[in-house]
Structure formats: C-alpha cells, structure tokens
Amino acid sequence: MSRYKHRLRRWKRSKRLKRRNRIGAGLLVVLVICTLLAYFAVPERPGRRTGDFASAPADAADHITVLGLPNARFWAWFDTQGVELVKEWEQSLARERAMNGGILPPGHFLAISGGGGDGAFGAGVICGWAEAGNLPAFKLVTGISTGSMIAPFAFLGGRYIDQLHKMYTTITNADIQTMRALNGLFGVAFGDAMADSAPLYQLISRFVDAQMLADIGAAYRTGRLLMIATASLDQQRPVLWNIGAIAVSRHPNSVELVRKIILASAAIPGAFPPVMIDIEANGKHYQEMNVDAGVVAQAFLYPIHFSIRTNHWSGAFARKERHAYVIRNSRLDPDWATVERDFLTIVERSIGTMIHYLGYNDLIRIYEIAKEDGFDYNLAFIEPDFVMKKREPFDPVYMKALFEYSLAKARRGYSWYKEPPVLKALELLRAEPP
C-alpha cells in the first residue's frame, strides 16, 4: 500500500510540474509576442534612428537652450547653473530697485504645490485673498503640477482672478483627460500613459494666450519672477522655466511653449503622456521628455542659489520685509482607508503614501530654509474640518465645495500656520517636563 501511495504522489507531482511548465511556456510566448509587437508596432521616439530631435546627450546638458534664449530655463537643485541663476536673480533686483527709487520694497514669495483636483483649494485661497483686498504683488511665484496652472493667475492678480475662479469651479474629469483604449496587456505595457491629455491642453490654451504672456512680460520688466517646474526624464533633473523671460522675448512660439510647459508640469507620469519640448544645445536640435516635477518635489519656494547668495554675499536681499507663503494643495493628516489585498491597490496606495510624506517633507525643508534666510513663514493646507470625499480625481462637486471652503477662509483673513504642524508638536513635546 505504501508503495502505491508513493507512486501516486510521484504521478501527481509530475502532473503539477507539467502544468506549471505549460503555464510558464505560455507566459513566455505572450512576453515574446508583446515584445515583437512593441518593436514593430509602437511608434519610436522621433529621431531615435535618424538623429533628428533625439534626446540631448549628457555632456550637452549644461548648454541646453530653448527658443534661442539663454535665460528661459535652468537646472534646479544643481550647482552647474548656479552662476546663471544668481545673475538672473541680481538682474531682477536691479529692475526692482529702478522701479522703486533705488530701494527694495517688502518681498512676497509664493509657492503653490501639486495636488491634482485638490488644486481647487489653492485657487480658492488666491481668489478669497484677492477679494479681501490684500493679495500681494509677489516678487516670485513658483508652481508645480496643478500649482503651475494656478501660478500665472496668482502672479498677475487683477482681472485674472475671475478667470482662476472660473477654471477651478467649472472643471471636470472630461476637461482634464480622455481615457485611452489601451488594448489590454499590450497597451498597458508599451503605451506611454493611461489617458490622453489633449483635453487638458485645450483647457490650458483657453486661458494662456498672447495677452496673458504680454502681462507676465510687463511684470517681469519690473523685477518680478514667475517660475514653473517640470522634470526632464532624459537628464533626470528638475527644470525651472523662467516664464517672464520667455514672455518678453516675443518669440512667435512663446505662447505655445508656455502652454506645453504647464501641460508638462501637470503630466503625472503613467497617467498622462510626457510632453516633448524642442530644445537646442551646441548648435544641434533635440527633444526633451518632460513630466510633472512632483517626481522630484511637491513644492519649492525659491532656488537654493538665491539662498546661497543671501548668506554669503551682502546686498542681494537688502529689503526690510520678506514673507514666504506656501499653499499645499493636499491634506497633512493621514487619509485612512481599508486597503484591498491585491497588487494594483497596494501599489497605488503605497505611491500615494510616498507622495503624501514627500510633500510633508517639502514643507519642513522650505520652512527651515525660509527661517534661516529671515522670512516670515506662512502655510496653508486642507485641514481636517473639510470632510468631503471625492468620487473621481477631478470631481466637480468635490472641487467646488473645496474651492468654497478655502475661499471663505481667505475672504475673512486666512489664518496661516507659522510652521508645519509636526514641528509645533515637537516643540510642545520638548517643552514638557521629563
């Protein structure tokens, strides 16, 4: 009997191994087929074979220009273009002094973070701030992702506030994306995104026009700066786009370039296709793949080179008042959920958690730098008293409610946080007796 059982077990084991081998062989065949289909069917990046408009080589990175302008863009968080950034900064200060009788007025700096549909929060803060009658003429406005869409309106103020109100209270999922037919496994594995961003480009184009660029250029001539960040996947570096310098160039392609920059800044990798921007380096033409700068940081207040100039050279920040405002288009408290035990849900939840805490760390980093440089620090974020949940990424009902929530707070005078809440909690803990 024992011999019979032993043979039966061997037979069953043999059957299982054969079945596994068949499954493994089948998966291998599917993989080979998909790879072949990708090679023959997926459109190649322009210039991969011909050399025209390919990605710029690494040794040309510090010589990249756009529209022939030497100051339209800079690498952020890298020392390779620090001299150029400081030069741009000092020239802006010279223009500002010339407009104000040789002195520098109080400086107001604004950073607007990413956050997708939660950008309705930041839009509401800006609109309510303007309605309260004390929205500053910012020295510098920076934007990432959805913050890049708000930044031009906050920078210009005035009649552009009504346009910002309209944009974030009428926007829907259909205005942002069209889901692509991805043809199953092949599409997911070899496509560049889940959705088509053409609707988002059309939305941006309705507001970003020649008149807006002319107004940005006029503000730039007075010494004010507007900078929007993207991430170059080719160079694996964040890019700071100097929108005012692009505007004053009056290049025939300047409006189209700014639209593409904002689109790229909002192009969440995987969700939206990357944006290819034409660049030049060492007399040759290339294309650079740009995506949402949120892969690097959720917010930034000003380039670190400005801070270096403040600390080690006299006169660059010779103004009596310096105010930093940071609008975080997200919550800081954890978003509790029951997480299903499946691959996609776990990955999605993990990425969301990573982004949440990266954003929180950005606030702490900005706070420490701002305080070191003598700024009055101010922070706004979605607080726990807003309890509504969104049904989709750009839920119009949710976004309108969030907009009205922050609008009301700002109308009556926003109660800015003077430090990130976690630092306040640490201070209280340190103050308690052992």
Side-chain angles (χ1 to χ4, degrees):
M1 182 63 69
S2 60
R3 185 180 299 174
Y4 170 75
K5 289 182 178 179
H6 179 68
R7 289 178 178 175
L8 181 61
R9 281 197 298 268
R10 286 179 59 190
W11 179 79
K12 288 181 177 179
R13 186 161 55 248
S14 175
K15 294 286 285 184
R16 284 197 300 270
L17 288 172
K18 288 179 180 178
R19 185 165 61 250
R20 289 175 185 171
N21 288 339
R22 286 198 300 271
I23 294 172
L27 289 174
L28 180 61
V29 169
V30 170
L31 180 61
V32 170
I33 290 174
C34 287
T35 303
L36 291 172
L37 286 172
Y39 181 80
F40 289 109
V42 175
E44 287 192 334
R45 177 169 173 165
R48 184 172 289 170
R49 288 182 177 172
T50 65
D52 297 329
F53 295 97
S55 57
D59 58 5
D62 291 338
H63 306 286
I64 291 175
T65 60
V66 64
L67 302 185
L69 305 175
N71 62 339
R73 49 170 283 154
F74 305 95
W75 296 124
W77 296 287
F78 285 86
D79 291 333
T80 56
Q81 292 185 325
V83 173
E84 289 85 351
L85 265 170
V86 170
K87 181 180 178 181
E88 179 69 18
W89 175 245
E90 290 183 332
Q91 289 176 347
S92 78
L93 293 173
R95 295 194 299 273
E96 195 177 5
R97 286 193 182 99
M99 295 292 297
N100 292 278
I103 62 172
L104 291 175
H108 301 271
F109 292 62
L110 174 64
I112 312 175
S113 83
D118 284 343
F121 171 79
V125 170
I126 296 299
C127 290
W129 201 350
E131 288 185 22
N134 54 0
L135 182 71
F138 296 103
K139 164 63 179 176
L140 171 64
V141 177
T142 63
I144 285 178
S145 195
T146 192
S148 73
M149 297 179 64
I150 302 171
F153 300 93
F155 181 74
L156 293 171
R159 64 186 183 87
Y160 287 96
I161 298 301
D162 289 337
Q163 294 185 30
L164 179 63
H165 188 295
K166 180 180 179 181
M167 176 186 285
Y168 274 88
T169 55
T170 61
I171 197 171
T172 67
N173 249 8
D175 294 312
I176 299 296
Q177 61 184 353
T178 300
M179 295 307 294
R180 288 175 168 177
L182 292 176
N183 300 320
L185 178 63
F186 170 76
V188 173
F190 299 106
D192 60 0
M194 299 290 291
D196 183 358
S197 59
L200 178 57
Y201 176 79
Q202 293 168 6
L203 175 69
I204 293 168
S205 298
R206 288 207 301 269
F207 294 95
V208 178
D209 55 16
Q211 184 58 57
M212 174 180 271
L213 251 65
D215 292 336
I216 292 172
Y220 178 80
R221 291 188 183 94
T222 68
R224 300 172 59 209
L225 299 173
L226 170 62
M227 290 187 166
I228 289 174
T230 66
S232 168
L233 289 187
D234 295 318
Q235 302 291 342
Q236 202 178 35
R237 294 185 181 184
V239 185
L240 286 182
W241 297 89
N242 192 6
I243 305 302
I246 297 171
V248 297
S249 74
R250 296 189 177 181
H251 192 284
N253 295 330
S254 59
V255 174
E256 175 68 10
L257 174 61
V258 173
R259 289 170 176 171
K260 293 181 76 172
I261 290 167
I262 296 174
L263 180 65
S265 184
I268 303 169
F272 296 118
V275 177
M276 307 305 297
I277 296 179
D278 293 341
I279 58 174
E280 309 94 39
N282 298 327
K284 296 182 179 179
H285 295 275
Y286 303 98
Q287 279 196 327
E288 182 180 63
M289 183 180 291
N290 280 263
V291 298
D292 187 343
V295 301
V296 178
Q298 294 294 302
F300 73 100
L301 184 61
Y302 51 85
I304 58 173
H305 305 89
F306 296 177
S307 176
I308 291 171
R309 191 68 177 176
T310 303
N311 294 332
H312 299 286
W313 287 275
S314 61
F317 255 110
R319 63 175 86 238
K320 293 181 180 179
E321 297 178 32
R322 286 163 257 173
H323 303 276
Y325 301 93
V326 182
I327 298 177
R328 169 65 175 154
N329 290 307
S330 184
R331 310 180 72 94
L332 295 184
D333 55 317
D335 181 21
W336 186 93
T338 300
V339 181
E340 296 296 330
R341 193 169 179 175
D342 64 74
F343 173 75
L344 291 178
T345 304
I346 292 171
V347 169
E348 180 182 8
R349 181 68 170 178
S350 298
I351 292 174
T353 302
M354 177 183 67
I355 292 172
H356 175 83
Y357 286 102
L358 283 175
Y360 210 134
N361 290 336
D362 286 334
L363 300 183
I364 296 172
R365 170 181 52 81
I366 291 171
Y367 172 79
E368 296 293 345
I369 294 174
K371 297 307 288 185
E372 182 180 350
D373 286 344
F375 276 81
D376 163 48
Y377 177 90
N378 301 273
L379 170 65
F381 58 90
I382 304 173
E383 298 181 56
D385 59 337
F386 184 77
V387 297
M388 189 173 182
K389 301 290 184 182
K390 66 180 74 172
R391 298 169 297 178
E392 55 184 353
F394 294 90
D395 179 353
V397 176
Y398 169 89
M399 290 178 65
K400 187 172 183 180
L402 181 57
F403 179 92
E404 294 295 338
Y405 160 83
S406 57
L407 179 74
K409 283 178 175 283
R411 271 176 177 162
R412 57 178 180 262
Y414 199 92
S415 297
W416 298 88
Y417 281 74
K418 306 308 289 185
E419 61 184 348
V422 68
L423 296 183
K424 184 66 175 179
L426 288 174
E427 286 180 6
L428 293 174
L429 284 173
R430 292 191 188 104
E432 290 182 0

